[in-house]
Amino acid sequence: MNKMITASNPAFILMVILLLLNGCAMQPYGSFIQNPSTSYSKVMADEVTAQIVRLYPAANTQFNLRHTVNDPFGHALVDNLRVAGFAVQEKINSNNSLFASKNLMGGSLPDIAINREADGASQPTGLALSYIIDQSGDLYHVNITIDDTRLSRAFVAQADSVHPAGLWVRKE
């Protein structure tokens, strides 16, 4: 007798629940602020960069972003880290990776090394970097993850500017 998988099958229901829970466990990264202020983002990125400079040696540290950067905070942070002397490997959007590879190989940007993980090259060296920025009213929360270390700080918006609302919290 051939059994069909139906919605009433307990194994099917358990599998669906596990798939849904697995999707919830994936943590999204980036900025979750509606209409982010460029000046607020710059101030917060400056504070994050200053803290990273205190914790990691600039000339000897490479950060590998775990997600694409598409917000003012992320762009300011990447620029600040590079100016401070850190190497930063940005994640290329998978939708545009073929386009980016063709442009890089086409000679428009000479002397740029392309990381070819699919060709058996080693994984990039450096520390994994990700961030989450969110807002609740006038309070902004910045959470930076560098490998297994989490840095967190709150900022408050006052008089058309943003200021730290407490000390850095570091969890390893």
Side-chain angles (χ1 to χ4, degrees), residues 38-102:
T38 304
S39 63
Y40 287 12
S41 296
K42 177 69 173 137
V43 169
M44 291 187 290
D46 290 348
E47 290 287 331
V48 169
T49 304
Q51 182 65 11
I52 289 173
V53 166
R54 287 183 204 103
L55 299 173
Y56 298 94
N60 299 327
T61 305
Q62 174 180 328
F63 293 112
N64 302 317
L65 282 154
R66 296 171 70 186
H67 54 90
T68 57
V69 174
N70 56 7
D71 58 271
F73 172 84
H75 292 296
L77 180 62
V78 168
D79 291 344
N80 286 353
L81 290 173
R82 286 183 174 149
V83 167
F86 293 98
V88 179
Q89 175 68 44
E90 293 185 63
K91 183 170 179 141
I92 297 174
N93 188 349
S94 61
N95 296 336
N96 297 329
S97 61
L98 181 61
F99 176 73
S101 296
K102 285 183 180 179

Side-chain angles (χ1 to χ4, degrees), residues 27-33 44-45 47-49 51-52 65-67 71 73-74 77 128-135 139-155 167-172:
Q27 174 131 11
Y29 297 105
S31 178
F32 297 97
I33 299 173
M44 291 187 290
E47 290 287 331
V48 169
T49 304
Q51 182 65 11
I52 289 173
L65 282 154
R66 296 171 70 186
H67 54 90
D71 58 271
F73 172 84
L77 180 62
L129 172 70
S130 60
Y131 61 87
I132 299 172
I133 310 296
D134 58 6
Q135 176 184 7
L139 189 65
Y140 293 83
H141 182 255
V142 177
N143 187 0
I144 305 294
T145 304
I146 300 172
D147 274 351
D148 294 331
T149 302
R150 292 185 189 137
L151 303 170
S152 183
R153 191 171 200 183
F155 293 84
L167 299 175
W168 281 101
V169 176
R170 180 178 176 180
K171 180 182 177 188
E172 293 185 26

